[in-house]
Amino acid sequence: MKKLSSALMILLVNLLFMTVMTAEVDAKEELKNEIRDDIEQIIDWKKASFGLHAEQPLLSSQFLNHAGDASGDWYPFAIGRIGYPDDYRAYLAVVEDQVSKRYRKAHQLDESKATEWHRIALAILAVGGDPTNVGSDKNGEPINLIADGTYARAPDKPLDFQGINGLTWGLITLDSLGFKIPDDAGLTRDEIIMDILKRQLPDGGFSLNGTRTDPDITGMVIQALAPYYNSEKTYEYQLSRTNEQVAKTVRQVIDEALQALSNIQEDNGTFKSFGFENAESIVQVIVALTELGIDPTEDERFIKNGNNLIDALKSFQMEDGGFIHSKRYDPENPSADPNKSNSMASEQALYAFVALYRFYEGARTLFDFRQEMDADLKEAIDAIKADIDALPSTINESHKAKVEQLFNRYKAIPVTERRYVFNYYKLADAMEQLNIENDSEYIADHMGEVDRGNGAVTPLFTDEFHRGPIIFTAEDAKKVENLPEDLTTEHYGEVVRLLDKLENAENRDEYEHLIDHLLNMKEKIEEIEQEIEALNKEIMDDLFPFEELSVEDRDKINGIIERYNRLSDYDQQKIVNYEDVERAKAEIDSKARKQIVATVLGILFVLFTIWFVVRRRKKRREKEMEFIDLED
Amino acid sequence: MRKDLLLVAVIVLIGVILFKGTKIQSVEEYYLTHIDDITPESETIKISIRVDAVLEHLDKLPESLRSEKYIPKDGIILEETEYVLRPGDTVFDVLLRATRHHKIPFDYQGSEENRFGSVYIKGINHLYEYDCGPLSGWMYTVNGEFPDEGVSKYKLEDGDVIAIQYTCDLGRDLGHPYDEKEVNP
């Protein structure tokens, strides 16, 4: 009887435990579903803002023309990381073409902003491309965005030329796939890490140049340093603000930065940057937490008055699905109309939700682009985490064997995967208490694993996602036919998309004849782009100052006007201040007319004067004659 | 005799027209060529472009920029110039007009190409953001105040005085109370 009752007890306790567990699982499932909905809403809002229907891919038509610019790249990055069904091929084709074109020009990308390279590299990875092998430069060589954007930059435009953002995003980009830095590059991961660490503020956080923690910058620093959280390496450096010499591990610095963030979090769960509560600051903190494997709905440091970061972020969502930057008018960011969804706030909210979704799915973190872990490794990591959590809160000698055994299991995990043992710090603390030597490898020494590699779209959003063979359909062919005879630069993205699809299609032979047609179109569009550029340059060179224009410039101006008129309405908009040309024409026409009038008037003047003189003479002679007559 | 007088009058008239050089223009042409002429009735604004803040940090600049051509000794790229205020003019419109008329190279990012929805000034006279350190770039004031809007969003009013200035310290070297704002919003 006693046995039975105790067995029953165990059963009951187990049942109770399981119900609690199921409730927890259900809550997480519900949260995941909500996040999915939010993701979909933001994408639909973005589509609508480009005049696209919800069923059309976002990466199409006009949106493609933004591939490679700051307003375009973060969307494919975000949706690729969750595998929202879309036309990733199209984006990759266009961004590669854009980067190639820019590399062929003198200024490549924005030389002073390393983050341009980082943004594009991350977007390319997210859609399945290889950022070390992008299109081709002017010598026909493949472009390596990773090298050019981090360790092989122009000597006068180093990674930190633009400040701390260059360093944090540079490190994120290098670690995205574990890219190796060549030995002779004159730059190491440790140097980048240290360069970031030394910028820490006395309050524990980081900022662009202010003296107090800025949530966005601090969030990004944590994201960049997160892979090194479990590294036991102590960095010795001098703080740039105070010149104080310090020796710290990345973990110490991240913990201080987290505390600094917790300290400045508002009661409603939001953060202020430059004095204003805003969506993006919350985003950067959420992403930072997910990179560390911290659940934002559970960590007490980031729940204020019951408001967690997700609640706080959602308070910036509008009816249309998009997000606003700030709920009140922000003088520092005027485009952020408090009543209108804003592209930057929305794209960042989108990738925060994607980071959260990946976290709850147990996928790799947002910025870890390596192939997803296999089940065995995942299981091993989960088991270690569970056993670390099971360690008692007060450790004594009796736990030594257990702790040592756990540490050996931890060390059996590949170095670059150890960051996923998110609660390793508890184990490290226990080891310190027990004076067990911690000889785990320094993570930075092992992060460089590959020279090149493709990213991949992570198929989390839908099961239907598949990458079958590419088929160029009759519908695609029709789209080619429907492209207008008079092409404009507006059709650039679409032409590049169709060409790429056809060239790589399994049934390429069927539509072989369209390839030349599309190539011609692409060439034509490039010619138009060059013409627009040339016209803008000539206008700048030839027109100003207006006062110095002369009739001799007439042919030049008329030539410009003729060429302008040959452009489509769409492309004419790309001529800067065309009014200046009209004005120059008017100036010259007036001057020419003035010359003609002056000439005519001059001739008339002379003629009339001659006539007058002749008349006077004649009259005088007549009078003299009369006089003579009279005298006679 | 009367005919003579008439003839003299015609000759004098032609002479005067020739001397005065009167233009014969259509209304449209007149409007185009006189759009920037300042008359007592016209509403105007003033604009200047200066790089004074860089003068103290010449050592920070890339070698290629350390020349009077890019950084004039007096710090003036464009001295205060008066322009007619056209209806709806923003700071960007006037800056574009002024740089074009004076052939000053001006590189900007269109409002469509960035995430701020406003034109962003990248470089003027070959001096670009970040050239004088990570906190450097172009800022502007209107009547001495640092406006809270992007250049292509700020609508100008009659009599406004615009100063386009290069900063090496996020505006602090131009007297922008940056830190205070951060501490005491």
Side-chain angles (χ1 to χ4, degrees):
Chain A
M1 190 66 200
K2 213 176 183 184
K3 248 188 190 161
L4 191 71
S5 74
S6 67
L8 202 71
M9 265 307 270
I10 288 168
L11 191 72
L12 272 174
V13 167
N14 268 348
L15 257 174
L16 192 72
F17 193 60
M18 272 168 68
T19 338
V20 173
M21 286 277 281
T22 337
E24 227 167 69
V25 168
D26 281 350
K28 280 279 125 73
E29 271 311 308
E30 202 179 307
L31 181 57
K32 257 171 63 183
N33 286 335
E34 267 178 46
I35 291 170
R36 254 182 87 96
D37 289 345
D38 290 326
I39 287 169
E40 218 158 4
Q41 281 170 23
I42 300 172
I43 297 170
D44 286 349
W45 166 79
K46 189 63 183 175
K47 284 181 181 175
S49 76
F50 272 89
L52 296 165
H53 303 296
E55 309 79 48
Q56 287 174 288
L58 172 63
L59 309 178
S60 63
S61 72
Q62 287 297 304
F63 187 92
L64 288 178
N65 293 339
H66 287 282
D69 82 36
S71 70
D73 296 329
W74 290 110
Y75 283 94
F77 163 79
I79 64 178
R81 291 304 281 156
I82 194 171
Y84 178 85
D86 212 296
D87 195 352
Y88 295 104
R89 263 208 92 78
Y91 175 80
L92 190 57
V94 181
V95 81
E96 290 212 10
D97 194 62
Q98 286 283 41
V99 170
S100 302
K101 276 198 290 193
R102 284 157 77 180
Y103 258 71
R104 281 173 210 150
K105 283 192 220 157
H107 279 295
Q108 301 189 354
L109 309 182
D110 191 339
E111 280 171 335
S112 51
K113 269 190 200 154
T115 47
E116 274 240 299
W117 275 263
H118 309 153
R119 184 190 72 236
I120 297 173
L122 293 175
I124 286 177
L125 281 169
V127 300
D130 176 0
T132 68
N133 182 11
V134 178
S136 59
D137 65 12
K138 49 180 170 281
N139 305 319
E141 298 291 323
I143 296 160
N144 185 340
L145 292 174
I146 300 296
D148 295 353
T150 59
Y151 56 80
R153 296 189 56 74
D156 61 335
K157 301 273 152 77
L159 200 52
D160 68 339
F161 193 68
Q162 66 184 114
I164 193 166
N165 280 332
L167 296 169
T168 49
W169 287 100
L171 192 55
I172 287 171
T173 305
L174 279 169
D175 292 345
S176 57
L177 215 55
F179 290 106
K180 278 184 196 156
I181 304 177
D183 294 335
D184 58 357
L187 184 76
T188 64
R189 277 184 165 78
D190 276 336
E191 280 166 356
I192 302 175
I193 292 169
M194 203 133 67
D195 211 354
I196 297 172
L197 297 181
K198 72 177 193 202
R199 291 162 199 253
Q200 195 181 15
L201 299 168
D203 71 2
F206 293 81
S207 76
L208 223 44
N209 83 325
T211 52
R212 304 196 339 166
T213 297
D214 176 81
D216 298 60
I217 300 295
T218 308
M220 291 183 220
V221 164
I222 296 173
Q223 293 160 29
L225 296 178
Y228 308 92
Y229 188 73
N230 290 354
S231 184
E232 295 301 332
K233 180 165 180 127
T234 301
Y235 293 88
E236 288 173 30
Y237 52 95
Q238 194 176 29
L239 287 170
S240 52
R241 308 271 164 169
T242 58
N243 292 331
E244 189 191 338
Q245 192 72 32
V246 292
K248 282 179 182 173
T249 60
V250 167
R251 182 153 72 250
Q252 277 173 290
V253 174
I254 287 181
D255 285 343
E256 288 164 7
L258 286 173
Q259 193 52 51
L261 283 173
S262 173
N263 291 345
I264 61 166
Q265 192 182 16
E266 303 290 322
D267 285 344
N268 58 8
T270 66
F271 288 92
K272 283 180 181 169
S273 182
F274 290 95
F276 288 90
E277 287 177 9
N278 70 92
E280 292 93 321
S281 294
I282 305 167
V283 167
Q284 295 309 327
V285 179
I286 289 178
V287 176
L289 296 187
T290 60
E291 288 291 327
L292 292 169
I294 296 173
D295 188 338
T297 63
E298 282 174 8
D299 193 306
E300 287 302 323
R301 286 174 293 184
F302 296 99
I303 298 170
K304 298 287 155 72
N305 282 350
N307 298 306
N308 69 36
L309 290 161
I310 302 176
D311 304 330
L313 180 56
K314 282 192 181 179
S315 71
F316 289 86
Q317 192 167 25
M318 303 306 290
E319 284 280 303
D320 61 10
F323 277 67
I324 46 169
H325 164 73
S326 172
K327 278 175 250 182
R328 61 175 179 156
Y329 185 73
D330 174 5
E332 291 294 331
N333 195 344
S335 71
D337 183 333
N339 304 311
K340 231 176 115 200
S341 296
N342 159 293
S343 185
M344 181 147 81
S346 303
E347 79 197 10
Q348 292 204 14
L350 178 61
Y351 78 63
F353 286 126
V354 170
L356 283 165
Y357 196 84
R358 294 184 66 90
F359 173 69
Y360 291 126
E361 277 280 308
R364 289 191 183 278
T365 63
L366 184 67
F367 291 119
D368 184 353
F369 286 76
R370 294 173 296 169
Q371 208 180 357
E372 290 301 320
M373 265 180 236
D374 62 51
D376 289 345
L377 182 58
K378 228 178 197 175
E379 221 169 272
I381 289 175
D382 283 345
I384 295 174
K385 284 197 293 189
D387 287 347
I388 291 176
D389 273 337
L391 284 174
S393 47
T394 43
I395 297 280
N396 57 45
E397 285 295 320
S398 71
H399 303 113
K400 196 163 184 175
K402 172 83 186 156
V403 168
E404 271 172 347
Q405 183 249 347
L406 260 175
F407 183 55
N408 284 331
R409 276 167 64 200
Y410 170 78
K411 281 207 297 183
I413 306 285
V415 180
T416 56
E417 303 290 8
R418 291 182 192 164
R419 64 174 294 192
Y420 286 98
V421 183
F422 294 130
N423 56 1
Y424 157 80
Y425 65 95
K426 290 183 189 166
L427 176 62
D429 289 349
M431 286 168 67
E432 214 183 317
Q433 274 186 50
L434 297 171
N435 282 322
I436 301 172
E437 195 204 346
N438 193 327
D439 60 352
S440 62
E441 294 91 329
Y442 295 155
I443 291 176
D445 299 340
H446 296 263
M447 281 300 278
E449 291 182 311
V450 298
D451 289 312
R452 53 173 58 250
N454 284 75
V457 174
T458 327
L460 296 176
F461 192 84
T462 166
D463 297 334
E464 299 149 45
F465 195 84
H466 69 99
R467 279 212 152 197
I470 303 159
I471 305 291
F472 197 81
T473 62
E475 206 183 313
D476 290 325
K478 200 156 185 199
K479 277 183 183 155
V480 178
E481 278 162 31
N482 284 343
L483 285 166
E485 191 72 21
D486 295 317
L487 283 168
T488 74
T489 54
E490 191 180 2
H491 304 105
Y492 165 73
E494 181 69 356
V495 168
V496 173
R497 177 185 80 84
L498 288 164
L499 180 60
D500 171 79
K501 189 168 183 188
L502 180 49
E503 278 180 331
N504 294 286
E506 205 174 52
N507 60 339
R508 175 188 163 130
D509 296 348
E510 249 176 89
Y511 295 98
E512 192 75 43
H513 61 286
L514 287 179
I515 289 189
D516 276 344
H517 185 50
L518 281 166
L519 277 171
N520 278 337
M521 286 179 156
K522 188 173 166 231
E523 210 170 295
K524 240 189 210 167
I525 292 173
E526 269 163 27
E527 276 165 20
I528 298 173
E529 281 168 353
Q530 280 162 12
E531 173 71 351
I532 291 169
E533 208 172 304
L535 267 176
N536 274 327
K537 187 176 181 313
E538 274 171 51
I539 291 171
M540 242 342 241
D541 289 347
D542 295 345
L543 251 53
F544 306 101
F546 290 124
E547 300 75 43
E548 282 172 23
L549 285 172
S550 73
V551 180
E552 278 95 75
D553 296 313
R554 195 176 200 171
D555 289 346
K556 228 185 304 179
I557 304 291
N558 282 338
I560 289 175
I561 292 171
E562 230 169 82
R563 284 160 65 193
Y564 173 83
N565 287 334
R566 277 202 291 268
L567 293 177
S568 64
D569 290 351
Y570 180 86
D571 292 324
Q572 283 180 352
Q573 300 302 315
K574 297 193 168 175
I575 300 299
V576 182
N577 265 26
Y578 182 67
E579 175 209 281
D580 286 342
V581 179
E582 291 173 327
R583 175 168 168 186
K585 167 124 176 95
E587 297 268 2
I588 286 174
D589 284 352
S590 307
K591 273 183 187 160
R593 199 172 303 129
K594 194 170 139 189
Q595 266 182 17
I596 292 168
V597 170
T599 317
V600 171
L601 284 179
I603 292 168
L604 278 178
F605 184 82
V606 173
L607 284 178
F608 275 114
T609 313
I610 292 170
W611 186 23
F612 179 74
V613 172
V614 169
R615 253 179 79 97
R616 291 296 293 180
R617 279 212 187 131
K618 205 170 143 196
K619 272 211 176 144
R620 197 175 299 152
R621 210 170 299 140
E622 272 169 13
K623 265 195 184 153
E624 277 171 6
M625 293 293 268
E626 251 170 57
F627 201 63
I628 292 165
D629 279 355
L630 276 175
E631 273 189 346
D632 280 350
Chain B
M1 195 62 202
R2 205 180 284 162
K3 225 176 177 179
D4 278 356
L5 276 177
L6 197 70
L7 208 54
V8 171
V10 169
I11 292 169
V12 169
L13 189 71
I14 295 175
V16 168
I17 294 174
L18 261 176
F19 184 72
K20 293 268 283 183
T22 307
K23 279 190 210 169
I24 301 168
Q25 289 185 313
S26 68
V27 180
E28 206 173 300
E29 278 177 337
Y30 184 84
Y31 175 75
L32 271 170
T33 50
H34 290 79
I35 188 163
D36 288 327
D37 291 359
I38 297 169
T39 64
E41 300 89 60
S42 45
E43 299 195 331
T44 62
I45 44 84
K46 287 179 181 150
I47 182 167
S48 63
I49 305 174
R50 309 191 58 121
V51 293
D52 306 65
V54 187
L55 295 172
E56 287 156 41
H57 303 286
L58 283 174
D59 52 311
K60 278 199 197 170
L61 289 186
E63 205 83 42
S64 55
L65 280 175
R66 289 183 212 166
S67 136
E68 270 234 49
K69 194 181 159 204
Y70 307 115
I71 313 293
K73 275 206 175 85
D74 57 6
I76 301 172
I77 302 289
L78 175 71
E79 59 185 349
E80 197 164 272
T81 311
E82 194 168 19
Y83 271 91
V84 167
L85 175 70
R86 301 188 198 167
D89 262 350
T90 64
V91 172
F92 171 69
D93 296 323
V94 175
L95 176 59
L96 186 63
R97 215 176 295 150
T99 49
R100 284 167 78 84
H101 290 185
H102 290 87
K103 282 199 153 183
I104 300 167
F106 172 31
D107 191 3
Y108 57 90
Q109 193 179 46
S111 53
E112 293 290 302
E113 301 164 66
N114 63 43
R115 304 185 281 175
F116 317 114
S118 167
V119 169
Y120 182 73
I121 305 176
K122 285 164 73 181
I124 299 176
N125 203 35
H126 302 290
L127 183 62
Y128 277 74
E129 55 175 341
Y130 303 127
D131 274 338
C132 185
L135 306 174
S136 64
W138 289 95
M139 293 183 88
Y140 76 105
T141 60
V142 176
N143 306 324
E145 299 277 324
F146 288 86
D148 303 331
E149 293 175 278
V151 268
S152 63
K153 298 229 163 183
Y154 190 100
K155 290 238 160 60
L156 292 163
E157 280 172 24
D158 189 19
D160 279 345
V161 178
I162 312 158
I164 310 282
Q165 293 165 289
Y166 194 84
T167 173
C168 296
D169 191 17
L170 265 186
R172 259 190 282 209
D173 49 357
L174 308 176
H176 185 36
Y178 176 91
D179 232 17
E180 266 168 56
K181 219 172 200 166
E182 205 179 9
V183 177
N184 192 13

